[in-house]
Amino acid sequence: MSAVKVGVTGAAGQIGYSILPMICSGQMLGADTKIDLALLDIPQCEDALRGVAMEINDSAFPLLNSLKYGSDPREILRDLDIIIFLGGFPRKAGMERKELLQKNMNIFKEQGTALNEVGKPTTLCLVVANPANTNCLVLAHHAPNIPRKNFTAMTRLDHNRASFQIANRVGALTIDVKNVAIWGNHSSTQYPDVNHGTVRGGAIRPAVNDDEWLNGEFISCVQKRGAAIIAARKLSSAMSAAKAAVDHVRDWYLGTKDGEWVSMAVLSDGSYGIDTGLCYSFPCTCSNREWHIVQGLDINEFSRDKMNLTKQELTEERDEAFSA
């Protein structure tokens, strides 16, 4: 079996430092899959990136087939099978959302243009850098040579957070929780939905037996978990974000388990009344390296209101990002 070519942007950052050992040790693509690793970061981070590369080499990962790194996207992103986009412009104190969107649009416009020139029609792209949904939309817009179905943004971290909260509430393990769903934006408007999920094989709502908590504190906790981690750690989520990205790619590339779905932000096909083309998180299954939105789920009025709220935010982000 030939090696899989995996690229990581923003590779010198803290999420990169967490995700690279996971990729190289087989957690993402399996214990028998060799990896050709390509690392990209901005010129100002090249020394740090060189240090990361030294550590990867010094770790002597048996699955690492080759390693290259640099700051030229046209060189580093060429002919890759999978690219995880970690690099973006972080929000700073006093920065308006529109300014953050504009700075990231410029980054993802540049990377999308390069990807359009050197990528493959089969390249799978996961955007993690925030605002992830809209960054993904911008990237896809500027790389029209790659099918739009090959672009996704990460809400798996929110999915994993929701699963933990349910497991913790009922004294179960996270592995016992199946089919929670994250709808919408990777932001504080996202809607973590348990109405179709199970814990220990039974429906979540009767198992928790506390609708007030499920419709209030649970949702708020998942929505604001990232801020809570920053408050406690003085740094944003890195290890959990890296693990979620690995989970996302693994299920996309190798397929989801029968009867189970995961949450992925994808370019909408109009399902559930979400505008076609909007990068919106849905429950998805994966097979043959393609995602499929789960169809036919009953959406109650409470859920529809939450789904529309996050759709509105994403619509505003899209319009702001493309207004310049």
Side-chain angles (χ1 to χ4, degrees), residues 1-6 29-36 61-66:
M1 183 179 179
S2 59
V4 178
K5 298 178 180 179
V6 177
L29 299 177
D32 298 321
T33 303
K34 295 280 189 180
I35 302 293
D36 287 327
F61 291 107
L63 294 177
L64 184 62
N65 191 60
S66 69

Side-chain angles (χ1 to χ4, degrees), residues 305-323:
D305 288 345
K306 295 290 188 183
M307 291 166 65
N308 284 341
L309 184 68
T310 191
K311 179 179 76 169
Q312 179 62 33
E313 182 182 55
L314 281 168
T315 302
E316 292 171 0
E317 281 191 14
R318 177 197 63 193
D319 294 345
E320 289 176 5
F322 288 102
S323 64

